[in-house]
Amino acid sequence: MNQPIQQPSELLYFTDTGAGEPLVLLHGFMGSSAYWDEVVPELSRTYRCIVPDLRGHGRSPAPEGAYRIEQMAEDIIRLLDHLNLNKVTVLGHSMGGYVALVLAEQYADYLNAWGLVHSTGYEDSPEAREKRLQTVSKINSEGVAAFVDGFIEGLFAPDSVTELPQAVQKAREIGYHTPPQGACGAAMAMRERPDRRSVIASSILPVLLVAGENDHVVPAERLFTAEGEQITSVTIPGAGHMSMLEAPEELIAVINKFIR
């Protein structure tokens, strides 16, 4: 299946590309399935890549009100059930990693393996919780575009902002299309999530942890919180918080090595 498939409104929008072992890729806050555009063509040569727009983002439904990360995980389970998939590998970027943690905690029977890409098991600090409220306030008062313009560059390594302007602009354009109520609902979901570092430490499944050398949003020490035979920890040189756009070939190699 090489064309994006639009599903009925009660389900998430998603693309379904390639054949083989199912690989589910979850994007971060203010993103969409398009965050993975640079890696899916190559990965879909080996795997069946299922890439949804999470609740409140892209072309998926964006209900009013605060969301919960657990709801976003339930959305993914409904999608997998719709596709008759009961064993997948899930990799979550940033906010998508928080969803992957819930899947590993509550729906591990669906997983062959899972991982976090520029994400963390930590809960929000008090400062971060306050910043989520500021995010909601700014979006409500000034709109999504104004928030995105002050947000996106900080996701990239400083060198990437200078050297990869097209990647930064792509992320910016994706962010502009986030429904305001979706952005606010997801911000509140992240604010209220609990600490789930124990999910990483206790998982009996293979776990991939991918950090960016120059990620100032989630530095490696907030991601590499556990060690074990089942855990693969990798740092991508030069990358910030957006290796799928900053260093796609390196990320593809990391994913391929982990799954194989």
Side-chain angles (χ1 to χ4, degrees), residues 14-233:
F14 66 98
T15 62
D16 187 349
T17 316
E21 181 177 339
L23 173 61
V24 179
L25 301 172
L26 307 178
H27 64 79
F29 182 58
M30 305 304 290
S32 77
S33 53
Y35 264 18
W36 301 97
D37 282 354
E38 305 304 315
V39 302
V40 166
E42 181 62 30
L43 290 174
S44 65
R45 294 160 63 94
T46 309
Y47 315 108
R48 179 181 176 185
C49 295
I50 297 152
V51 192
D53 290 348
L54 294 173
R55 172 185 293 239
H57 290 71
R59 285 176 274 187
S60 284
E64 297 282 351
Y67 305 161
R68 293 180 298 111
I69 294 296
E70 292 81 4
Q71 282 179 314
M72 300 170 90
E74 290 163 10
D75 292 341
I76 300 302
I77 293 301
R78 280 195 292 271
L79 176 59
L80 296 181
D81 287 345
H82 173 76
L83 294 171
N84 294 313
L85 292 172
N86 54 19
K87 283 292 181 182
V88 301
T89 295
V90 173
L91 301 179
H93 166 243
S94 197
M95 180 183 73
Y98 309 150
V99 177
L101 281 160
V102 177
L103 294 173
E105 179 183 56
Q106 299 181 16
Y107 304 98
D109 288 349
Y110 279 82
L111 304 182
N112 286 317
W114 62 281
L116 308 181
V117 181
H118 313 306
S119 191
T120 180
Y122 279 96
E123 64 188 334
D124 269 1
S125 66
E127 295 78 13
R129 286 170 60 85
E130 176 59 30
K131 199 169 181 180
R132 304 291 187 199
L133 297 179
Q134 293 170 7
T135 292
V136 171
S137 178
K138 185 174 182 71
I139 290 170
N140 283 332
S141 62
E142 300 179 37
V144 165
F147 172 74
V148 168
D149 285 340
F151 171 73
I152 288 295
E153 285 193 3
L155 301 181
F156 290 81
D159 286 348
S160 298
V161 175
T162 304
E163 297 168 9
L164 300 171
Q166 289 179 311
V168 177
Q169 183 59 25
K170 180 182 178 75
R172 190 179 284 118
E173 293 289 344
I174 292 168
Y176 289 156
H177 288 91
T178 308
Q181 73 274 20
C184 292
M188 296 307 292
M190 293 187 291
R191 184 178 190 269
E192 299 304 325
R193 76 186 193 280
D195 187 297
R196 286 194 167 96
R197 282 175 289 166
S198 63
V199 179
I200 303 171
S202 64
S203 180
I204 61 174
L205 298 170
V207 181
L208 175 64
L209 305 176
V210 181
E213 180 186 25
N214 296 319
D215 186 347
H216 301 302
V217 180
V218 181
E221 61 267 21
R222 287 185 64 80
L223 174 56
F224 299 155
T225 57
E227 296 180 352
E229 289 184 0
Q230 82 283 16
I231 298 174
T232 301
S233 299

